[in-house]
Amino acid sequence: MTGTGRAGTAAPIAVGDQAPDFSLKDNHGRTVRLADFLGAAAGHDGGDEGGGAGDGDLDVDGKNVVLVFYPFAFTGVCAGELGALRDALPAFVNDDTQLLAVSTDSIHTLRIFAEQEGLEYPLLSDFWPHGQTSRAYGIFDEDKGCALRGTFVIDRTGIVRWSVVNALPDARDLDQYVKALAAL
């Protein structure tokens, strides 16, 4: 399932497209790249080139990635969605899957937000250049200066296999992520 472009945004990338790689800082200041989690079939060996979150500890098969964009830390819907992911974490952070959450907040804001909410998965900052990764995925709202609620399930080869994009006030259904992962 994919959304359509909304006022102030480009159309989201489509299911079947290659997921754009990115290099973002997490809430601890570490560099995280999508390529760090993909297998050799995606053209990445899981090596330790960038000192990122992958740190060379992945096997050659890589992991599926659930990439969750959210508008802002410390807002009700965002805290609720990310808290639901926290509560179901074994389904999203395991030998086969890695959860990555992205907003345009600074790493300092994300660090405090993660501590306050007990979030133990990477919160990535798309702060500068502002919204560059959100734009690459076609979900940056130019009028509001933040990402829409977009989720992309990316397989081990870097192909988007499922997606959903909701408007800012509309929470996503966590069960849809689980079903999308089960279908891989």
Side-chain angles (χ1 to χ4, degrees), residues 28-133:
H28 298 289
R30 295 177 296 227
T31 299
V32 176
R33 299 177 312 147
L34 176 60
D36 291 338
F37 299 100
L38 303 180
H44 181 71
D45 63 6
D48 191 15
E49 304 151 1
D55 287 337
D57 60 356
L58 296 179
D59 62 39
V60 71
D61 292 332
K63 291 186 175 194
N64 298 310
V65 173
V66 178
L67 185 62
V68 177
F69 289 89
Y70 61 100
F72 298 110
F74 298 106
T75 58
V77 177
C78 294
E81 285 187 312
L82 297 180
L85 289 165
R86 173 201 59 220
D87 296 345
L89 202 57
F92 301 106
V93 178
N94 54 54
D95 290 342
D96 296 318
T97 306
Q98 177 63 50
L99 171 65
L100 301 173
V102 182
S103 79
T104 55
D105 294 300
S106 73
I107 62 171
H108 311 291
T109 299
L110 295 177
R111 183 175 305 126
I112 300 301
F113 181 57
E115 289 172 5
Q116 178 179 308
E117 298 295 324
L119 306 175
E120 297 189 13
Y121 50 86
L123 301 183
L124 307 181
S125 175
D126 193 13
F127 183 72
W128 199 257
H130 191 70
Q132 180 176 19
T133 299

Side-chain angles (χ1 to χ4, degrees), residues 126-183:
D126 193 13
F127 183 72
W128 199 257
H130 191 70
Q132 180 176 19
T133 299
S134 302
R135 282 184 182 92
Y137 280 80
I139 58 163
F140 187 76
D141 186 322
E142 297 289 344
D143 297 332
K144 305 254 193 269
C146 65
L148 297 172
R149 294 183 191 286
T151 302
F152 300 88
V153 174
I154 302 163
D155 72 13
R156 300 165 196 270
T157 67
I159 302 298
V160 176
R161 295 299 178 189
W162 181 89
S163 71
V164 66
V165 179
N166 288 2
L168 294 179
D170 301 329
R172 293 160 283 193
D173 182 355
L174 186 73
D175 291 335
Q176 290 180 343
Y177 306 175
V178 174
K179 289 177 186 172
L181 285 169

